[in-house]
Amino acid sequence: MFRRVVRASKFRHVFGQALKNDQCYDDIRVSRVTWDSSFCAVNPKFVAIIIEASGGGAFLVLPLLKTGRIDKAYPTVCGHTGPVLDIDWCPHNDHVIASGSEDCTVMVWQIPENGLVTPLAEPVVVLEGHSKRVGIVTWHPTARNVLMSAGCDNLIIIWNVGTGEAMIQLEDMHPDVIFSACWSRNGGLICTACKDKKIRVIDPRKEKIVAEKDKAHDGARPMRAIFLADGNIFTTGFSRMSERQLALWNPKSMEEPISVHELDTSNGVLLPFYDADTNVVYLCGKGDSSIRYFEITDEAPFVHYLNTFSSKEPQRGMGYMPKRGLDVNKCEIARFYKLHERKCEPIIMTVPRKSDLFQDDLYPDTAGPDCAIEAEDWFDGKNGEPILISLKNGYVPGKNRDLKVNTSPELLREVKSLRDLVTLQDRRIAKLEDQISKVAI
């Protein structure tokens, strides 16, 4: 357990508060799908929630200010033919969202400036390449139009959304279901947690595993793994005795964890949300009624327990607001959107301060909405660090840009004919190798 030692930290007295009923989103039928995703995605303009839908999969997209009771006839994003399992807002365009579904497809949607007026059934682009349901979708943090998806076919695909192509397919790396996949801060690496109890660090462009750890957590229940700003990896999982654990790893030396802690014996999967600017990790357990937060530092024990926000109702899922969507005048350092069975409740975390001045120690420059590099540059091997912005005068959203997808019929035909040619050549090579082996015998 954590030693309760009084330690100086500006986040020790973080104050969590659930907003009043009139500031919640009420009468929403939150999805009942048995999948361990957060079911909610938030950005400075919209909150998106995966909901129960007859005859396919759907999710709600609500402007942040549209609180109160949501009409049953409110338009949804409803193009999938199976339940939606995961959604993720594009970090470089607040009107673009990706969704993965049981229908084996990934779809990318453009949300109108003021939200939906009619149901949205036509995505900007449909990404087809998985043979089983797609449970994870996550955008590249610094490159425009690069999207990663992971499916129950144990396959990771990295897409160029601007052309609708599957550029990289990471096959034969995971023998079982992928529980989580996360980009590093500059998007040069990804780390994954798999049902085979291994944590893997992968260089996707070289298509090779650069580090892995077997039995990062001994328990059979799902793990989660995320990259921290310094390149270390933070994981949550279960011990052999089904106690929930968290651990910190150095990917350059993964024999032993830097730090490992046991929390409790609850069976809900811990979803980690990370603030790269302040090095605070928030843990939200599915089915829990609390949010725990920890500060990660360079001094032992490296992961320092800060506090717990508790409420009465268990959470079905959780959305986490990017830093640029917070109210700096109220010293708000995090905002969560907690899903109940029938509503979404915002929870704000603030650090009490007497001064009304801008608190620059709470708000170092944070990742802004501009991308550092284009998709083509990233696929060519370049990396780009996040472009930082100051929140001193608050965040002012930029002009809405439409997502352009260049999938002309001629281009797609050319791609298909090239792929067919490659397949034909592969078959010929295999046939020749077979003949050679028979001659050798």
Side-chain angles (χ1 to χ4, degrees):
M1 282 299 290
F2 289 90
R3 289 178 298 152
R4 297 289 193 271
V5 179
V6 175
R7 184 184 138 268
S9 169
K10 52 182 172 279
F11 304 110
R12 173 151 297 288
H13 302 292
V14 170
F15 174 65
Q17 183 180 23
L19 298 186
K20 292 177 181 162
N21 272 343
D22 61 343
Q23 293 172 289
C24 296
Y25 308 86
D26 223 338
D27 213 12
I28 294 166
R29 301 184 311 283
V30 175
S31 174
R32 295 175 177 275
V33 167
T34 54
W35 184 255
D36 287 320
S37 81
S38 56
F39 291 161
C40 183
V42 199
N43 70 18
K45 288 188 176 180
F46 300 105
V47 53
I49 302 162
I50 302 174
I51 57 168
E52 283 285 290
S54 54
F59 58 96
L60 273 175
V61 174
L62 303 168
L64 288 186
L65 296 176
K66 186 173 176 49
T67 52
R69 186 177 171 277
I70 306 301
D71 195 292
K72 282 186 171 57
Y74 193 85
T76 60
V77 180
C78 53
H80 285 287
T81 56
V84 178
L85 300 178
D86 197 20
I87 48 178
D88 192 34
W89 286 106
C90 177
H92 310 123
N93 188 333
D94 287 340
H95 291 263
V96 171
I97 187 168
S99 57
S101 163
E102 278 194 11
D103 65 11
C104 309
T105 65
V106 177
M107 294 185 181
V108 180
W109 311 84
Q110 175 93 31
I111 305 301
E113 182 68 42
N114 298 312
L116 298 179
V117 182
T118 57
L120 183 59
E122 286 297 317
V124 180
V125 62
V126 180
L127 306 173
E128 295 177 307
H130 287 284
S131 58
K132 291 186 179 175
R133 60 184 184 167
V134 182
I136 299 168
V137 288
T138 176
W139 291 93
H140 193 286
T142 61
R144 193 197 308 278
N145 290 348
V146 177
L147 180 70
M148 170 167 61
S149 64
C152 290
D153 49 7
N154 312 336
L155 172 67
I156 289 177
I157 301 180
I158 299 178
W159 308 84
N160 182 345
V161 174
T163 61
E165 286 181 272
M167 302 295 288
I168 297 169
Q169 298 199 26
L170 303 177
E171 299 177 274
D172 306 325
M173 288 189 180
H174 300 87
D176 215 323
V177 175
I178 300 162
F179 287 140
S180 78
C182 173
W183 295 99
S184 60
R185 185 151 167 81
N186 69 358
L189 299 171
I190 57 177
C191 75
T192 63
C194 180
K195 195 175 181 180
D196 68 354
K197 301 185 185 178
K198 281 190 180 181
I199 301 291
R200 293 172 175 82
V201 180
I202 300 168
D203 184 329
R205 288 167 295 193
K206 291 180 181 171
E207 298 188 22
K208 73 173 192 179
I209 297 169
V210 295
E212 66 180 357
K213 172 61 181 173
D214 193 15
K215 293 190 177 174
H217 296 277
D218 286 327
R221 291 188 56 73
M223 300 189 294
R224 287 283 184 280
I226 57 170
F227 266 114
L228 303 182
D230 60 5
N232 286 341
I233 292 169
F234 181 89
T235 62
T236 64
F238 292 80
S239 71
R240 190 174 287 129
M241 305 298 291
S242 293
E243 292 169 305
R244 292 199 291 194
Q245 290 180 323
L246 52 90
L248 192 62
W249 306 84
N250 178 352
K252 291 173 183 166
S253 168
M254 293 190 76
E255 291 82 30
E256 292 295 324
I258 299 170
S259 176
V260 63
H261 300 279
E262 290 181 350
L263 292 181
D264 55 24
T265 53
S266 179
N267 61 2
V269 174
L270 287 167
L271 305 177
F273 296 95
Y274 174 57
D275 180 354
D277 308 324
T278 56
N279 254 350
V280 175
V281 173
Y282 301 86
L283 297 184
C284 308
K286 290 204 93 169
D288 288 10
S289 54
S290 62
I291 301 171
R292 294 180 175 90
Y293 29 110
F294 303 83
E295 189 174 3
I296 297 172
T297 67
D298 296 332
E299 62 199 44
F302 305 105
V303 180
H304 305 270
Y305 170 79
L306 290 173
N307 215 330
T308 300
F309 168 80
S310 296
S311 55
K312 290 176 184 173
E313 295 284 324
Q315 54 229 16
R316 298 279 298 278
M318 193 70 79
Y320 178 63
M321 176 67 80
K323 209 62 171 290
R324 57 195 170 91
L326 304 180
D327 188 343
V328 297
N329 298 319
K330 293 180 180 171
C331 294
E332 184 183 6
I333 63 159
R335 190 187 311 159
F336 292 91
Y337 286 74
K338 173 180 170 178
L339 299 186
H340 299 239
E341 202 167 322
R342 300 285 296 187
K343 77 171 180 180
C344 173
E345 174 186 54
I347 296 167
I348 58 171
M349 304 277 188
T350 53
V351 175
R353 293 279 169 98
K354 290 179 180 174
S355 169
D356 290 337
L357 298 173
F358 177 71
Q359 308 293 317
D360 45 16
D361 63 326
L362 296 181
Y363 301 104
D365 289 357
T366 190
D370 292 330
C371 60
I373 54 175
E374 297 296 325
E376 291 72 20
D377 298 329
W378 186 80
F379 287 112
D380 285 343
K382 292 180 186 169
N383 286 327
E385 295 297 323
I387 295 176
L388 305 181
I389 58 171
S390 169
L391 295 177
K392 188 161 190 176
N393 301 312
Y395 168 67
V396 180
K399 189 173 175 288
N400 174 27
R401 301 187 311 274
D402 284 350
L403 174 63
K404 299 279 192 298
V405 179
N406 181 16
T407 53
S408 64
E410 294 80 12
L411 184 68
L412 288 176
R413 272 198 294 273
E414 189 180 340
V415 169
K416 187 176 185 308
S417 65
L418 283 169
R419 280 191 181 142
D420 291 346
L421 193 62
V422 169
T423 306
L424 193 64
Q425 297 283 23
D426 286 346
R427 282 181 188 154
R428 282 179 183 162
I429 290 165
K431 199 171 178 182
L432 284 168
E433 283 175 344
D434 191 40
Q435 287 172 356
I436 290 164
S437 65
K438 283 175 182 173
V439 169
I441 289 164

